[in-house]
Amino acid sequence: MSQNLVTLETRLENIQGIMPKFLPKLKKLGIETVHDLLWHFPTRYEDYSTISKIDQLKPGDTVTIRGEVNRVSTRRAWNRRMYITEVLVVDETGGINLVWFNQPFISKALQEGTRANFAGKVFENKTGKHMANPTFEVLRGTAQTTHTAGLVAVYPETRGLTSKGLRQYIKTFLDILKDIEDFLPEAVLKKNDLPELSAALRQIHFPSSKAQAQRAQARFAFEYVFLLQLNNLKLRADLAKEKAPKLAVSDANLKKLLAMLPFTLTDSQQQSLKEILADISRPHPMNRLLQGDVGSGKTAVAALAAVVAAANDRQAVFMAPTEVLARQHYHTLTKMFKKFDGGAALITGSEARVYYEKGLEEKKTKAALIKLIESGAIKTIIGTHSLIASGKDPVKSHSDHGASKKGGVHFPDPGIVIVDEQHRFGVRQRAALSDKKTADLLPHFLSMSATPIPRTLALAVFGDLDVSTINELPKGRKEIITKIVDPENRPKAYGFVKQHIKAGRQVFIIYPRIEQAEVTEDESGSVKKNVAWSESKAVKAEHERLSTKVFPDLRVGMLHGKLKAVDKKKVMEDFKRGVIDVLVSTSVVEVGVDVPNATIMVIEGAQHFGLAQLYQFRGRVGRGEHQSFCFLFTDSHSETTHKRLQALIDAKNGFELAEKDLELRGPGQFLGDKQTGLPDLAMNSLNDIRLVKSARDSASALLKKDPELATHPKLAEKLDNLSQQVHLE
Ligand code: ADP
Ligand code: MG
C-alpha cells in the first residue's frame, strides 16, 4: 500500500493491504475508514501480563504460555464435517495439548519448531489438560507481542473477524500514522489533564497498564462530550445572531388573559409562562424546551404564548406528531378561551375547521383553510407535522392554490412554532415555514416534552436549549393508587377489573416484549446472545386467554406493533368510544392516548420495563374524574426489582423517577435508537455530571476566544462531521 497517502479519512477498500473479503465484515461493525477502525474501541481487556509455566496450569485459568511446537496433526472429526487441529507445545517445565476446531490453516502457521505465545483458557478432560482455540502469536526474533502478553484488547467482533484480526489492522495503521494531529487544543488537554490523541489511541488499543488504559478512555469520553457541548454552544450562538419578531404583552393585558381562563395556573405553569414570555419579547429566536408530565398543563402554557403572538398580529403554529394529538391540542385550546382573535384552526389529513368563539366553529375544505392560513387571516394553527412542514400535501393534486407550493403550508407572519417531542428545530426549518417576504425574521420555537430527561442528560445532549419545567399537576387530580401484585393474587385483580367495568369504566392490560435469547458460541469460544423479540406472540396468546376464559362476557381488544396502522387506529378509536372494555396491548399504547374513562392500568411483567416507561403507562389512567388504579404484576423476587417498582409508588413526578432510572439502568434507555451507534464509552460519559460540566466550561472558554474556531480548523472539521454523523434531532 502507498503508506504515505493513508490518512484517517482513507476508505479501507482503497487500501491494498486489506483483504477484500474482510471489507463487508468490517462494514458490519460500522468500520469503513481508517478513522472508524482506530475509533473501534475495546469493550474490555484480557490480562495476559504474566507468562505461565506449563506445569503450573490449572483448569479454569486464563493464561499465556510460551513454548515450542513439538507436534502438529490435523484430522477430520467422526462426523467428517469438522477439522480438528492438535498441537503439542512444550516449555522447560512440560507440555500441553492445544486444540483448534475448524481452523485447518493453523497447521500452516504452526509447524514443528515454531516458537510462539499461546493465550486462552485451560480445560481439563479425561485425556488431561488442554487449551481450546487459544490465541497465538508466533515469536520472531524479538519477543515483542501484540496479542498474547500484557493487557490485550477485546473488541466487538463479528463472524469471521475476531479481536485478533482487528488488533492486527489497528496496529498496522497506528504504525503507519505515527503522529495523528490532535484536534483538541493543547490548552483544553492540559486543563483537563488528558493525554494527546496519538498517545491515547495507542494506549486504548495497546495499553502499557490499566491506569494508562483508563486515562486514554477518559480522553475519548471527554472528547465526545466536549464536541457535543461545542455543537450545542455553537447552535446557540448561531441562533442568537438571527432576528425574531418581538412578541410582547403588557402586565395588564396578561392579567386580563389569565382571568379569562377557566382555571388558575399552577405555580410552575406560571413560572414557565414567565420564562417563555420573557424569551419571546426579545428580538432573537427563542429555543426552549418545556417539559412536564402528561396533563401537567404544557399545552395550556403554550396556548397563552400563542394568544400573545396573535395579539402581536403574528401566527402561532402547533405541530403534533399524530392526528389524535393535534385534535387533543385543539380541544385544550378551545376549552381555554371563549374567543380567538384571528381564529384557531385544526388541519389534519382528515379534518379542517376553524374555531372563532364559543358557538362559532366552521368546517372548511382543506384547500380553503390553507388559503386562509396563507393569507394571514388565521393566527393560531394546529396540525400534524407532515401536513404543515412537508411538501406531501394531500391537497396538492386537487388545487393549484395554497399548499400546492413546495414545502407544505407557508405562513406569512409566523411568530412561534410549538412542537411535541421534537427537540431540534434549526434555522433552516424555521425559515422553511416562513413566506419569503418575512424570512429575515425567524419564528420562536418551543418544544413540549412529556418524556422526563434527567438533568445531566438534558444538559449533555440538549444543551443548546433553555429548559422550563412543570413539576406539578393541576390541583384536584386524584392520585393513582399503585400496587405491586404477586401473581397468585391475579384472580383477585381480575375480579376487581370486572367490578369496575360493570360500573362503566375501562381497563388497560400491558405486556412486555417477550425476550427469547438464543445463545451461540463463536470461534473464539466467547458466548453471544442473539435476542429475538416476539412481542406480538405473547399478546395474541394472552388476548385469546383473556377474551375466552377470564372475561368471556366483556369486549376485549388487542393492540400491538405488528398491526397495520389503520387497524391500530380503529382499535384505539373503539377503545376511546367505549366499544372495547379491556385493551390488551404491548408498549405501543405509550404514545399520547387520552381515554378519561379508563381507570385501571394493569402491567404484566413489570420488571421488564424501565421506570420512566412504567410511569408513562400509569399516566394513561387518572385522566378523568374517577379514582384510578395501577397494578404492577411481577413474579420477580429480586430485591432490586421491588426497590425499582417501589420507587414508582414513591416518586412525586416523572423527573424524580427519571433520575432514579438513570442511576439504576444507565443512559441508553433515555436516548433510545437515536443515539445508537455511539460507543458505550460516549454513552456512559453523558451520565457523568462532572465530565459534562468541565467539557461545557472548556467548550465555552474556547468559543469565547475563537467563536468560529478559526485557529482550530481540525476541530471545526470534526464538529461538522459530528453534526452530520450523529443524529441529534
Ligand atoms: P399537557 O399538555 O401537559 O399534557 P394540557 O395543557 O393538555 O397538559 O392540560 C391537560 C388538561 O388539564 C387540559 O384539559 C387543560 O385544560 C387542563 N389544565 C391545564 N392547566 C390547568 C390548571 N392549572 N388547572 C386545571 N386544569 C388545567
Ligand atoms: Mg398534552
Side-chain angles (χ1 to χ4, degrees):
M1 77 186 88
S2 42
Q3 305 191 342
N4 293 330
L5 299 177
V6 174
T7 68
L8 286 178
E9 286 73 41
T10 307
R11 299 187 60 80
L12 296 179
E13 71 244 30
N14 297 331
I15 295 176
Q16 281 173 12
I18 296 204
M19 284 206 279
K21 72 166 183 177
F22 284 122
L23 289 172
K25 294 175 184 167
L26 287 161
K27 194 166 174 181
K28 216 164 166 192
L29 294 171
I31 302 173
E32 296 184 47
T33 63
V34 174
H35 179 279
D36 297 340
L37 183 68
L38 296 187
W39 265 257
H40 188 68
F41 293 150
T43 41
R44 62 189 173 88
Y45 299 96
E46 207 82 81
D47 192 352
Y48 293 122
S49 43
T50 51
I51 304 236
S52 306
K53 297 296 171 209
I54 289 176
D55 68 347
Q56 304 288 317
L57 301 181
K58 284 195 241 21
D61 288 352
T62 298
V63 297
T64 298
I65 57 170
R66 174 173 299 173
E68 196 175 291
V69 174
N70 196 281
R71 190 178 62 226
V72 183
S73 70
T74 293
R75 59 188 165 85
R76 279 173 186 266
W78 57 274
N79 61 7
R80 305 194 59 77
R81 283 217 208 98
M82 203 197 305
Y83 279 102
I84 296 178
T85 307
E86 272 184 296
V87 171
L88 175 65
V89 171
V90 295
D91 68 3
E92 65 276 18
T93 66
I96 184 171
N97 259 321
L98 315 184
V99 191
W100 284 267
F101 300 102
N102 265 347
Q103 299 187 43
F105 55 86
I106 297 278
S107 59
K108 291 205 189 95
L110 297 175
Q111 288 160 3
E112 257 171 64
T114 307
R115 276 174 46 74
N117 281 357
F118 302 88
K121 204 166 175 180
V122 181
F123 294 91
E124 185 161 31
N125 62 15
K126 42 187 189 308
T127 64
K129 276 179 268 196
H130 65 270
M131 289 163 84
N133 292 326
T135 302
F136 65 91
E137 189 168 8
V138 174
L139 301 172
R140 290 191 185 85
T142 70
Q144 224 194 9
T145 53
T146 308
H147 306 295
T148 53
L151 286 177
V152 174
V154 180
Y155 296 95
E157 301 174 345
T158 185
R159 178 169 280 280
L161 184 57
T162 58
S163 284
K164 186 171 180 177
L166 285 162
R167 271 195 302 272
Q168 196 58 63
Y169 282 136
I170 290 168
K171 188 164 193 319
T172 305
F173 287 107
L174 280 179
D175 288 345
I176 297 172
L177 301 163
K178 267 189 198 67
D179 286 303
I180 301 168
E181 196 189 329
D182 203 338
F183 52 87
L184 288 183
E186 226 179 290
V188 172
L189 292 175
K190 236 190 187 144
K191 175 134 203 296
N192 295 279
D193 186 28
L194 297 167
E196 72 62 59
L197 181 57
S198 278
L201 277 173
R202 210 156 255 289
Q203 288 295 336
I204 203 164
H205 293 295
F206 303 102
S208 48
S209 68
K210 275 235 158 76
Q212 289 298 331
Q214 279 162 1
R215 244 172 82 75
Q217 286 171 339
R219 182 217 141 100
F220 290 110
F222 178 91
E223 168 185 312
Y224 179 71
V225 180
F226 178 74
L227 287 170
L228 267 187
Q229 295 304 326
L230 268 185
N231 191 50
N232 288 337
L233 293 171
K234 252 181 91 55
L235 285 175
R236 247 178 211 274
D238 288 349
L239 207 54
K241 279 185 237 148
E242 300 288 339
K243 292 199 176 64
K246 289 204 244 180
L247 307 176
V249 60
S250 69
D251 287 347
N253 283 341
L254 181 59
K255 235 185 203 151
K256 269 190 223 157
L257 260 183
L258 294 177
M260 293 193 319
L261 298 182
F263 47 74
T264 351
L265 294 185
T266 62
D267 289 349
S268 50
Q269 275 177 312
Q270 277 179 41
Q271 179 58 32
S272 298
L273 180 65
K274 208 170 112 189
E275 290 161 2
I276 292 165
L277 292 181
D279 273 7
I280 64 177
S281 70
R282 295 186 191 115
H284 301 288
M286 169 171 76
N287 202 29
R288 187 171 282 278
L289 172 65
L290 175 59
Q291 45 177 5
D293 287 346
V294 171
S296 63
K298 298 181 294 294
T299 310
V301 169
L304 284 158
V307 170
V308 169
N312 282 273
D313 223 14
R314 290 274 168 181
Q315 289 174 312
V317 185
F318 281 77
M319 295 201 283
T322 65
E323 288 195 14
V324 174
L325 286 174
R327 200 169 308 122
Q328 227 162 273
H329 288 338
Y330 180 74
H331 287 308
T332 302
L333 262 68
T334 53
K335 261 187 352 205
M336 280 176 68
F337 298 101
K338 288 206 181 63
K339 188 167 180 297
F340 275 87
D341 287 333
L346 173 66
I347 177 156
T348 69
S350 60
E351 262 178 304
R353 53 172 69 201
V354 191
Y355 173 100
Y356 293 101
E357 58 183 81
K358 209 161 186 178
L360 181 54
E361 192 180 20
E362 276 178 6
K363 283 199 175 176
K364 301 235 174 247
T365 65
K366 224 173 296 170
L369 182 53
I370 287 173
K371 224 172 157 183
L372 268 180
I373 293 169
E374 298 201 331
S375 78
I378 295 181
K379 293 299 179 205
T380 306
I381 301 99
I382 303 156
T384 44
H385 292 212
S386 55
L387 198 58
I388 291 176
S390 88
K392 275 187 271 155
D393 194 310
V395 179
K396 215 163 165 180
S397 51
H398 307 297
S399 160
D400 289 327
H401 305 296
S404 59
K405 276 176 283 177
K406 230 180 143 198
V409 183
H410 282 234
F411 301 91
D413 50 12
I416 181 169
V417 183
I418 298 154
V419 187
D420 275 332
E421 302 290 351
Q422 180 185 321
H423 295 115
R424 292 248 150 68
F425 203 74
V427 168
R428 245 179 304 149
Q429 276 167 297
R430 293 184 203 223
L433 281 183
S434 310
D435 226 337
K436 282 215 176 58
K437 291 178 300 235
T438 52
D440 56 325
L441 287 187
L442 295 178
H444 298 283
F445 170 64
L446 183 66
S447 165
M448 299 194 289
S449 174
T451 312
I453 305 169
R455 268 190 323 270
T456 334
L457 283 188
L459 183 64
V461 184
F462 304 121
D464 57 321
L465 294 162
D466 296 303
V467 179
S468 295
T469 303
I470 305 180
N471 60 11
E472 59 188 326
L473 291 181
K475 286 190 194 61
R477 298 270 168 88
K478 289 202 182 83
E479 201 181 314
I480 299 162
I481 298 175
T482 305
K483 291 220 147 79
I484 303 171
V485 187
D486 201 89
E488 66 188 47
N489 286 326
R490 191 176 268 115
K492 245 181 163 168
Y494 287 153
F496 191 84
V497 163
K498 279 183 204 160
Q499 221 180 307
H500 277 252
I501 290 174
K502 214 177 259 166
R505 305 287 82 76
Q506 288 164 284
V507 176
F508 290 102
I509 304 183
I510 308 286
Y511 289 87
R513 299 168 154 199
I514 302 298
E515 188 181 340
Q516 292 175 328
E518 191 186 298
V519 177
T520 53
E521 241 177 73
D522 69 7
E523 294 109 298
S524 68
S526 78
V527 168
K528 283 201 176 122
K529 247 166 90 175
N530 291 322
V531 178
W533 300 104
S534 95
E535 52 171 316
S536 50
K537 208 165 123 198
V539 167
K540 278 183 202 152
E542 278 297 298
H543 174 255
E544 172 75 18
R545 183 180 75 86
L546 291 170
S547 53
T548 58
K549 303 221 166 74
V550 184
F551 308 121
D553 46 353
L554 298 180
R555 296 162 299 181
V556 185
M558 174 172 68
L559 199 61
H560 59 76
K562 295 250 167 72
L563 289 180
K564 283 199 208 105
V566 276
D567 296 332
K568 260 189 246 177
K569 198 168 151 199
K570 168 112 177 45
V571 173
M572 269 328 297
E573 271 164 12
D574 285 350
F575 191 58
K576 245 188 129 123
R577 285 194 297 134
V579 181
I580 290 173
D581 301 311
V582 179
L583 183 60
V584 178
S585 175
T586 59
S587 57
V588 293
V589 82
E590 234 183 321
V591 196
V593 182
D594 188 20
V595 185
N597 191 46
T599 56
I600 303 179
M601 168 60 67
V602 178
I603 301 171
E604 292 280 353
Q607 73 273 17
H608 296 296
F609 295 106
L611 281 177
Q613 209 178 6
L614 290 172
Y615 188 80
Q616 297 281 331
F617 289 144
R618 186 175 60 177
R620 301 300 116 208
V621 296
R623 303 168 74 84
E625 56 195 297
H626 303 284
Q627 176 62 55
S628 292
F629 303 85
C630 176
F631 299 138
L632 305 166
F633 278 106
T634 179
D635 48 17
S636 162
H637 296 291
S638 116
E639 197 183 329
T640 25
T641 295
H642 280 260
K643 248 197 209 145
R644 243 160 44 76
L645 298 182
Q646 189 60 40
L648 182 70
I649 298 175
D650 297 338
K652 282 195 271 307
N653 58 52
F655 298 95
E656 217 180 282
L657 264 185
E659 301 281 350
K660 191 111 206 162
D661 222 8
L662 178 64
E663 192 184 303
L664 294 167
R665 305 209 317 167
Q669 54 179 321
F670 292 100
L671 303 172
D673 298 340
K674 291 170 211 161
Q675 304 280 328
T676 50
L678 284 191
D680 288 352
L681 193 63
M683 200 70 134
N684 289 325
S685 58
L686 297 178
N687 192 12
D688 181 343
I689 185 75
R690 268 188 30 220
L691 175 60
V692 171
K693 284 209 169 114
S694 53
R696 193 174 179 83
D697 287 348
S698 289
S700 156
L702 181 64
L703 285 177
K704 208 167 266 166
K705 260 201 244 144
D706 184 0
E708 297 303 323
L709 300 177
T711 57
H712 301 283
K714 278 258 164 207
L715 183 59
E717 190 186 318
K718 190 93 186 164
L719 199 57
D720 270 355
N721 291 342
L722 173 92
S723 36
Q724 283 165 25
Q725 245 173 45
V726 186
H727 256 283
L728 293 169
E729 303 259 316

